[in-house]
Amino acid sequence: MSIKAEIVAHSLNQQGDELISVLVTFPRIILSEMNTHRMLSKNTSSSRAIPFNKMVEAVKTNPFVPVAFQKEHSGMQGSEYLDGEQLETALSEWHTAKNWAIDCATAHTDAGITKQLANRLLEPFMWTTMLITGSKEGWDNFFKLRCPNYEIEGEN
């Protein structure tokens, strides 16, 4: 899976105001960032509604893994990234954490704990889908605030 966005509706009223609805799939870890934008209306898929075994299988077969690991920085957008051995270590640790989360979540459900809690351990490695609707101005504001310029080694 990868980040996806599809415009599912785009309308224009008589005054020229645009309303745009987008169906988006993205890493669950940025859901809170999406929810900070009050100019957009949102409805998100629920991890509570999906059977636990299906969630585990999705994390095992198609986990979210960052496309780049930024170095520590101040502010909302960094510009320096790990590479070489540091990047390999970060990726290895990410997968170790994913496997640990799967093991812990499974142990929780085996012990009779609700999937509503066990799924929370899997969230850093999950994808989610959201329908987002907003005006042209709302979308412009969103992109202005949240679009870093990634520079990934080996890509132009």
Side-chain angles (χ1 to χ4, degrees), residues 27-45:
R28 176 84 184 194
I29 64 170
I30 62 173
L31 179 59
S32 62
E33 301 299 326
M34 292 297 300
N35 287 336
T36 63
H37 293 277
R38 294 180 53 196
M39 294 178 77
L40 302 173
S41 176
K42 301 165 285 288
N43 189 338
T44 308
S45 60

Side-chain angles (χ1 to χ4, degrees), residues 18-108:
E18 295 179 66
L19 190 63
I20 305 163
S21 293
V22 181
L23 188 62
V24 185
T25 300
F26 58 89
R28 176 84 184 194
I29 64 170
I30 62 173
L31 179 59
S32 62
E33 301 299 326
M34 292 297 300
N35 287 336
T36 63
H37 293 277
R38 294 180 53 196
M39 294 178 77
L40 302 173
S41 176
K42 301 165 285 288
N43 189 338
T44 308
S45 60
S46 171
S47 64
R48 296 181 314 152
I50 300 170
F52 177 74
N53 290 335
K54 188 174 180 180
M55 293 298 267
V56 168
E57 187 60 28
V59 170
K60 282 182 179 178
T61 60
N62 193 14
F64 163 68
V65 179
V67 296
F69 286 81
Q70 289 183 354
K71 293 182 178 181
E72 186 174 345
H73 58 84
S74 61
M76 291 178 67
Q77 297 180 13
S79 60
E80 295 183 50
Y81 300 88
L82 299 180
D83 59 11
E85 189 174 317
Q86 287 182 315
L87 177 57
E88 289 178 30
T89 299
L91 284 167
S92 176
E93 290 172 349
W94 187 267
H95 286 289
T96 297
K98 173 199 71 172
N99 293 334
W100 178 83
I102 290 169
D103 291 346
C104 290
T106 301
H108 275 62

